[in-house]
Amino acid sequence: MARFIILMGVSGSGKTVIGKSLSPNLNAEFIDGDNLHTQRNVDKMAAGIPLTDEDRLDWLDLIAKVGHDHAEHGTTCIIACSALKRKYRDILRTTNPKMGFIYLKGSYELIFDRISKRSHQYMPSSLLQSQFDTLEEPQADEKDVFIVSIDKEISEIVDDIVKADLV
């Protein structure tokens, strides 16, 4: 069965690296949602300006369409997307009944340490606090969200996800 999976979490939580490691294990295509942002959004973030809800709408709609198209064509895809607010996750769910979320959960301190050691095309560490401020952690009624702690090695995180049998 084809699925659409969103790897969600704040910037620096490991969405891209885990997505790239996970996709071969699930016979899935990995898509970095960062690559689906408009140039306007990229420029705004590069300038250290957090995106607004309005800024994110077209991006979320595009991610939902890409995931839906994959599932409709019988291929599983994993898309890295922060999906920080419940309303963002609800937008993604609207046309995607075969989808699920994997929430990469970690502390501010752990993620700040990681993000300050990496180079990113437009996401400076100064925006991390705004990501945590925006984050609405998934609630118990969001049954399509699997929560995984990121305070371990990448291979262990991938193993936890594979063992959860989400696909």
Side-chain angles (χ1 to χ4, degrees):
M1 172 175 79
R3 291 281 315 263
F4 170 26
I5 299 168
I6 292 285
L7 274 177
M8 65 165 286
V10 299
S11 182
S13 60
K15 296 180 297 290
T16 300
V17 71
I18 291 169
K20 288 178 179 178
S21 297
L22 179 63
S23 61
N25 290 281
L26 300 182
N27 192 28
E29 179 180 349
F30 173 72
I31 300 167
D32 191 332
D34 285 348
N35 297 330
L36 301 176
H37 272 295
T38 63
Q39 189 60 50
R40 183 178 156 274
N41 283 0
V42 170
D43 292 345
K44 193 171 182 178
M45 289 182 286
I49 302 167
L51 297 180
T52 65
D53 289 351
E54 186 177 320
D55 293 329
R56 289 184 174 99
L57 285 178
D58 289 342
W59 178 63
L60 291 167
D61 287 341
L62 180 57
I63 288 171
K65 181 184 180 334
V66 168
H68 178 78
D69 290 350
H70 274 79
E72 284 296 305
H73 290 97
T75 58
T76 294
C77 76
I78 300 168
I79 300 180
C81 169
S82 54
L84 297 176
K85 290 185 179 182
R86 173 131 189 190
K87 67 181 177 181
Y88 303 162
R89 296 187 293 274
D90 288 344
I91 289 169
L92 295 166
R93 288 178 177 114
T94 301
T95 57
N96 294 292
K98 298 177 183 175
M99 76 168 305
F101 296 84
I102 299 168
Y103 171 37
L104 303 177
K105 182 176 180 164
S107 69
Y108 177 88
E109 295 75 23
L110 172 68
I111 295 172
F112 184 82
D113 182 59
R114 289 180 181 177
I115 203 170
S116 63
K117 294 176 183 173
R118 74 171 194 181
S119 168
H120 192 275
Q121 60 186 359
Y122 57 78
M123 188 67 185
S125 59
S126 61
L127 287 180
L128 182 60
Q129 187 59 57
S130 73
Q131 294 250 305
F132 272 91
D133 292 346
T134 301
L135 177 63
E136 295 172 3
E137 290 195 329
Q139 300 300 304
D141 66 325
E142 291 183 82
K143 306 274 188 229
D144 58 354
V145 180
F146 177 72
I147 300 171
V148 62
S149 173
I150 60 165
D151 64 351
K152 46 189 136 185
E153 296 297 318
I154 293 167
S155 60
E156 293 175 278
I157 296 168
V158 169
D159 285 347
D160 287 349
I161 295 168
V162 170
K163 287 177 188 169
D165 196 28
L166 304 171
V167 178

